[in-house]
């Protein structure tokens, strides 16, 4: 309680929340199946306040985590029971816009899309575009090395972060990387990206800005099966074309997106391939001819081209709303982001369909097809006993399949709390032990976002939902 | 999301109170459009934060009294409803929850006086007129009045326009294309009687006969949106009785009224008038929606170019989902160029009586809105709601030669009237 007293001296009562009625809003992030109540939430207005808060946590050995807009889909920004939540929403300033060097220095509470908006007058933008880009913050993007539809061509967050200023878990303030894309020695900023909050709190980021493409060409191709759409992706990529984005939606996710934003997708398609070409005008025109040829060859029965910017934005709005829109079809869902090799997409989709049928649980599919990043949305009604557990089991089966096919358990959402028990499917004990040692070198007390990423520890789900029936029977365990 | 709310305890409003909780997936897409989240920057002042909070209160784990601050902070602008991909009916949830809160909360004297002053005057044109005059007398005394009354005085009009006695039936010009009833409104009649006059003229020019029942009353929106259901039902009942069944539509020209009537299914849930109330709600249309549906007869060209920026009233754009019709109507006027302000979806801060009860937040929002509208360099600001009109006029006042703020039908009427 000494910590609360110290925080009370650091923050006025309007920026220090300790009552249940204030804390409930922070209990979970974009993954509501998991919840935890923090000891307190603080709303710093300066970097110094963040640093001081971390130091106080270190002194009192209290767990903490930083939170931006709380849109994590893996429970990464869910509070740690009894810990401190440091919200960064007021550290939302763009500190420097440097169009000549094509970079921006921002505080980490800045919303992703705001960076692109601020860069727009200079003909630049910030390339990583998670579907939640209108609200997710740069800090969360850094912590989870976020991707997005256009990462196919441009790479993930780590490819666009040049430098980071952060306060580590023991209160030390460090500056990693520089303003140059080429660093001497190890890529410390790249190393920090994707730490899932286990190293400390990023305060500032130097971001690389990209010139806006001269021309976009967005093509919708409708297929009578999802597998055909999946196969088309391999064909396009094999041909040597590199579109800005290649996305696939199945019938269920199209239905959801239609209900939400009326995007105008083809009504009876079972698989929809969205391909966006971008770049210089002449190149896009040439690529477009080739793309149409390939799409026809792969059996698309209808092809549409966005005729103006408004139509293009509508296509993307539908696609980017799809996760949340599934809420229109089902009261609860789990969303996974396992990855499979692009060449095995069709096969993976067929398997998901089979698993879904066997489990009797509907699965909607919407994914970054170009880089093989699946997003099965597993729908369930949590009111019915045992359904969450069955949905989790199906999710696990899909993740295991991804690893077996030579892929990964997560492409961009991170491990968080949700996938930590599947980490050993990808990494050996020695690998995981090595990662833990790296973590302890930076966070010796293990107070920065503990209970996430690594398997083991009390799974927060147990506090709200109780143990899985099979766990109670001693048949399975979370380890 | 999951909850353990005891549905049986909630009575006839159970659906309104639980749909939002069940449909919310907590994705956060509502956050960037929420004026209080944008201004205060805390999750508890966001739509999904409030949904969590309301859930906890309904589950019984947080006492109602502790939840009131963030609930009262909500402007009820419904921008989150437009933004929500998951179909959460936050509008119905907050309306129903406020009604519940109003019954259960402790009411300090200052709040009781202010509420009662507002809800006993504004909905009644005669009393409102009197109150505005009396209020002006009180301005010199403002130093000694309770603090909570001051914002209300600040919003008082400098001068009241002359009373306009509109006839009971306003005939159609030319070939008759339809017959509608007009909700004459309460406070709007006093502050801007020219809106009703312009509505009648535009409807008439389009071949529509309008019936303005003498015995109609306030729709109850102002009271409903603040949770005072009993007051709301009192006048709403009278309104329902006054509208004959054989009308093509009940026309509203204040967005707040239209959205209020749309929520009669909640206001009258479990009451004996429920089905009549639903029928009337189904027939109620904003004047822009109606004119667009029947097909506007082209108004004559304006003598000189006019730059008009259109402000989306929350209760029209978000609550009634009507953004298209007013724009189509204005674009039908030749020589008029329509401008779009930045951040159209963010509320101007008027929100019923919000600017009286939460003056600080309302002021910030009003100032931002004024700047955004002016950034388009308009000759005129067009909108479809009296509340926004008062608020925006007030915040434009501090600028040099501010553009006039007019209802969409006033611009249409002046275009038609060029001929006569």
């Amino acid at each position: 309680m000494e910590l609360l007293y110290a925080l009370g001296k650091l923050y006025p009562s309007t920026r220090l929340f300790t009552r249940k009625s204030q804390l409930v809003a922070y209990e979970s992030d974009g993954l509501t199946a998991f919840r935890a109540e923090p000891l307190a939430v603080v709303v710093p207005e300066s970097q110094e306040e963040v640093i001081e808060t971390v130091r106080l946590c270190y002194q009192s050995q209290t767990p903490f985590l930083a939170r931006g807009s709380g849109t994590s889909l893996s429970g990464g920004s869910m509070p740690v029971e009894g810990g401190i939540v440091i919200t960064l929403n007021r550290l939302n300033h763009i500190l420097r816009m440097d169009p000549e060097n094509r970079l921006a220095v921002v505080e980490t509470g800045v919303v992703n899309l705001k960076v692109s908006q601020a860069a727009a007058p200079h003909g630049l933008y910030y390339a990583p575009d998670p579907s939640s880009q209108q609200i997710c913050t740069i800090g969360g993007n850094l912590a989870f090395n976020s991707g997005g539809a256009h990462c196919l061509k441009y790479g993930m967050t780590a490819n666009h972060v040049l430098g980071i200023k952060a306060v580590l878990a023991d209160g030390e303030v460090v500056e990693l990387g520089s303003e140059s894309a080429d660093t001497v020695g190890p890529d410390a900023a790249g190393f920090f990206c994707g730490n899932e909050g286990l190293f400390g709190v990023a305060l500032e980021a130097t971001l690389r800005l990209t010139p806006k493409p001269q021309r976009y060409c967005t093509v919708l191709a409708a297929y009578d099966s999802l597998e055909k759409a999946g196969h088309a992706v391999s064909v396009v990529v094999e041909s040597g074309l590199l579109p800005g984005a290649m996305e696939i939606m199945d019938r269920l996710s199209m239905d959801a997106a239609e209900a939400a934003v009326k995007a105008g997708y083809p009504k009876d398609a079972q698989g929809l391939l969205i391909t966006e070409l971008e770049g210089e005008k002449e190149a896009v025109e040439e690529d477009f001819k080739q793309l149409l040829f390939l799409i026809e060859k792969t059996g698309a029965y209808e092809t549409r081209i966005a005729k103006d910017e408004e139509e293009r934005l509508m296509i993307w709005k539908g696609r980017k709303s799809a996760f949340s829109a599934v809420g229109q079809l089902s009261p609860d869902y789990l969303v996974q982001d396992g990855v499979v090799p692009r060449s095995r997409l069709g096969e993976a989709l067929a398997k998901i369909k089979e698993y879904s049928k066997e489990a009797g649980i509907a699965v909607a599919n919407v994914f970054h097809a170009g880089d093989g990043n699946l997003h099965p949305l597993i729908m369930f009604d949590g009111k019915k006993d045992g359904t969450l557990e069955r949905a989790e089991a199906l999710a696990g089966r899909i993740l295991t399949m991804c690893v077996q096919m030579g892929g990964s358990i997560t492409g961009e959402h991170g491990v968080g709390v949700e996938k930590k028990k599947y980490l050993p499917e990808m990494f050996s004990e020695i690998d995981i032990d090595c990662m833990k040692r790296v973590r302890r070198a930076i966070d010796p007390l293990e107070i920065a976002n503990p209970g996430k990423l690594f398997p083991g520890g009390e799974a927060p789900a147990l506090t709200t939902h109780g143990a899985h029936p099979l766990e109670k029977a001693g048949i399975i365990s979370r380890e | 999301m999951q909850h353990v709310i005891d549905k049986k305890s909630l009575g006839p409003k159970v659906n309104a109170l639980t749909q939002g909780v069940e449909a919310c997936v907590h994705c956060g897409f509502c956050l960037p459009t929420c004026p209080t989240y944008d201004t205060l920057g805390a999750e508890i002042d966001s739509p999904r934060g409030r949904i969590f909070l309301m859930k906890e209160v309904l589950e019984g784990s947080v006492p109602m009294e502790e939840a009131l601050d963030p609930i009262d902070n909500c402007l009820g602008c419904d921008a989150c409803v437009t933004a929500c991909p998951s179909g959460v009916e936050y509008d119905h949830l907050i309306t129903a929850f406020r009604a519940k809160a109003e019954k259960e909360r402790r009411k300090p004297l200052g709040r009781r006086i202010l509420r009662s002053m507002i809800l006993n005057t504004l909905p009644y044109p005669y009393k409102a007129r009197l109150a505005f005059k009396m209020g002006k007398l009180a301005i010199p005394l403002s130093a000694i009045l309770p603090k909570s009354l001051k914002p209300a005085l600040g919003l008082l009009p400098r001068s009241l326009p002359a009373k306009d006695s509109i006839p009971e039936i306003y005939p159609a010009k030319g070939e008759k294309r339809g017959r509608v009833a007009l909700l004459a409104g309460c406070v709007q009649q006093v502050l801007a009687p020219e809106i009703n006059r312009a509505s009648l003229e535009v409807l008439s020019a389009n071949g529509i006969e309008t019936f303005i029942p003498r015995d109609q009353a306030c729709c109850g929106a102002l009271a409903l949106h603040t949770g005072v259901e009993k007051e709301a039902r009192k006048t709403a009942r009278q309104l329902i009785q006054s509208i004959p069944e054989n009308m093509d539509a009940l026309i509203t020209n204040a967005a707040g009224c239209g959205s209020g009537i749309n929520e009669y299914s909640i206001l009258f849930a479990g009451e004996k008038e429920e089905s009549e109330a639903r029928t009337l709600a189904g027939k109620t249309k904003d004047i822009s929606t109606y004119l667009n549906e029947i097909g506007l007869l082209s108004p004559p060209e304006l003598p000189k170019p006019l730059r008009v920026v259109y402000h989306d009233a929350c209760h029209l754009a978000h609550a009634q989902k009507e953004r298209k019709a007013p724009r189509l109507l204005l674009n039908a006027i030749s020589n008029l160029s329509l401008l779009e302000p930045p951040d159209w979806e963010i509320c101007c801060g008027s929100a019923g009586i919000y600017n009286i009860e939460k003056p600080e937040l309302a002021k910030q929002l009003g100032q931002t809105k004024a700047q955004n509208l002016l950034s388009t360099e308009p000759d005129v600001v067009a909108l479809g709601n009296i509340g926004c009109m008062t608020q925006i006029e007030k915040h434009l006042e501090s600028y040099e030669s501010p553009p006039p703020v007019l209802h969409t039908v006033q611009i249409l009427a002046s275009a038609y009237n060029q001929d006569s």
Side-chain angles (χ1 to χ4, degrees), chain A residues 226-250:
Chain A
L226 189 59
E227 290 78 8
K228 275 189 194 166
H231 175 64
V233 176
S234 309
V235 174
V236 171
V237 177
E238 237 171 61
S239 77
L241 277 183
L242 182 54
M246 289 191 90
E247 302 281 304
I248 291 181
M249 299 175 81
D250 72 356

Side-chain angles (χ1 to χ4, degrees), chain B residues 213-227:
Chain B
R214 291 260 190 253
D215 56 346
Q216 65 175 286
C218 167
C219 66
L222 212 55
L224 171 64
H225 289 149
T226 45

Side-chain angles (χ1 to χ4, degrees), chain A residues 24 29 69 89-90 328 332, chain B residues 2 26 37 40 48 52 85:
Chain A
V24 288
D29 48 26
S69 300
N89 308 87
R90 294 198 191 177
Q328 305 232 11
D332 300 285
Chain B
Q2 291 310 306
H26 215 245
Y37 182 76
L40 302 167
R48 68 172 185 182
F52 259 25

Side-chain angles (χ1 to χ4, degrees), chain B residues 32-323:
Chain B
T33 60
C34 176
T36 55
Y37 182 76
D38 198 41
T39 318
L40 302 167
E43 185 79 32
I44 197 67
D45 288 303
S46 77
R48 68 172 185 182
R50 283 188 275 258
I51 291 175
F52 259 25
L53 186 58
M54 290 189 265
K55 174 182 92 73
E56 295 288 330
V57 174
L58 295 172
E59 284 176 342
S61 57
V62 167
M64 175 65 88
E65 208 61 36
E66 272 187 37
L68 290 174
D69 254 355
I71 298 300
D72 289 346
N73 274 346
C74 172
L75 292 112
C77 72
D78 299 349
C80 51
V81 180
T82 303
C84 178
S86 182
V88 173
E89 291 168 2
Y90 176 90
D91 43 350
H92 299 331
L93 172 59
I94 192 86
T95 300
F97 191 85
R98 279 184 161 158
K100 187 174 160 60
E102 196 58 28
K103 278 183 203 140
E104 294 172 20
R105 76 192 300 158
R106 286 195 302 269
K107 302 175 187 80
L109 188 65
R111 181 190 165 90
R112 280 214 308 265
I113 296 177
L114 183 64
R115 276 269 161 115
S116 134
M117 267 174 51
I118 294 168
L119 297 178
N120 282 313
T121 52
L122 295 191
Y124 307 92
Y126 169 75
K127 288 198 226 169
R129 214 180 158 72
L130 196 68
F132 287 140
K133 287 186 176 163
M134 300 282 284
K136 276 181 68 184
L137 296 179
I139 291 177
L141 308 175
S142 63
I144 54 164
L145 288 173
K147 229 167 96 187
S148 57
L149 297 182
K150 280 180 196 164
L153 295 179
L155 283 171
L156 287 175
R158 293 229 176 93
S159 60
L160 279 186
K163 216 168 144 189
D164 183 5
S165 327
I166 44 178
E168 195 167 17
I169 291 175
Y170 200 92
K173 258 189 208 160
E175 188 199 342
K176 190 165 150 187
R177 298 162 73 203
R179 188 161 179 258
V180 298
L182 176 74
L183 178 74
C186 42
V187 65
Q188 178 179 288
Q189 276 190 60
V190 181
L191 289 178
E194 56 278 13
I195 296 176
N196 278 345
R197 179 60 65 175
S199 302
L200 295 171
E201 287 168 2
V202 173
L203 286 167
S204 168
N206 279 280
I208 306 298
E209 180 184 282
T210 310
F211 173 54
I212 310 103
R214 291 260 190 253
D215 56 346
Q216 65 175 286
C218 167
C219 66
L222 212 55
L224 171 64
H225 289 149
T226 45
V228 192
E229 284 195 316
K230 222 170 131 193
E231 281 295 324
R233 273 197 293 266
K234 198 163 83 187
T235 54
R237 257 190 208 109
Q238 198 184 328
L239 175 69
I240 295 169
Q241 279 157 14
S242 73
I243 307 298
E245 274 176 27
N246 59 359
M247 293 288 148
D248 298 345
L250 168 63
I251 301 296
T252 55
N253 53 18
C257 306
S259 79
I261 298 176
N262 279 343
E263 290 193 297
Y264 275 5
S265 57
I266 300 176
L267 182 64
F268 285 98
E271 301 284 319
K272 66 176 192 300
E273 301 92 339
E274 189 172 344
S275 102
E276 281 169 275
R278 280 174 184 270
T279 310
L280 184 68
K283 256 186 155 175
T284 303
K285 284 180 183 155
D286 185 74
I287 189 158
S288 63
T289 308
Y290 180 74
L291 286 169
N292 190 44
E293 274 175 15
I294 59 162
L296 187 81
L297 302 179
S298 291
E301 185 176 339
L302 295 176
K304 55 178 189 181
L306 188 72
R307 290 170 62 82
V308 178
V309 61
Y310 182 76
H311 159 75
D312 281 288
C314 295
H315 282 142
L316 195 53
H318 300 307
Q320 298 184 61
K321 314 229 175 297
E322 185 58 276
R323 294 191 67 217

Side-chain angles (χ1 to χ4, degrees), chain A residues 30-51:
Chain A
L31 180 70
T32 53
F34 298 89
R35 289 186 194 185
E37 195 178 298
L39 175 68
V41 174
V42 295
V43 189
E45 283 181 344
S46 68
Q47 295 185 15
E48 290 69 35
E49 286 182 341
V50 180
I51 297 165

Side-chain angles (χ1 to χ4, degrees), chain A residues 360-373:
Chain A
I361 297 175
V363 176
N365 283 288
V366 48
F367 49 96
H368 305 317
D371 38 17
N373 191 183

Side-chain angles (χ1 to χ4, degrees), chain A residues 269-283:
Chain A
Q270 294 305 309
L272 177 73
L273 174 64
I274 306 172
T275 309
E276 185 156 275
L277 299 168
E278 51 182 64
E280 286 181 14
K281 191 166 162 275
E282 291 76 15

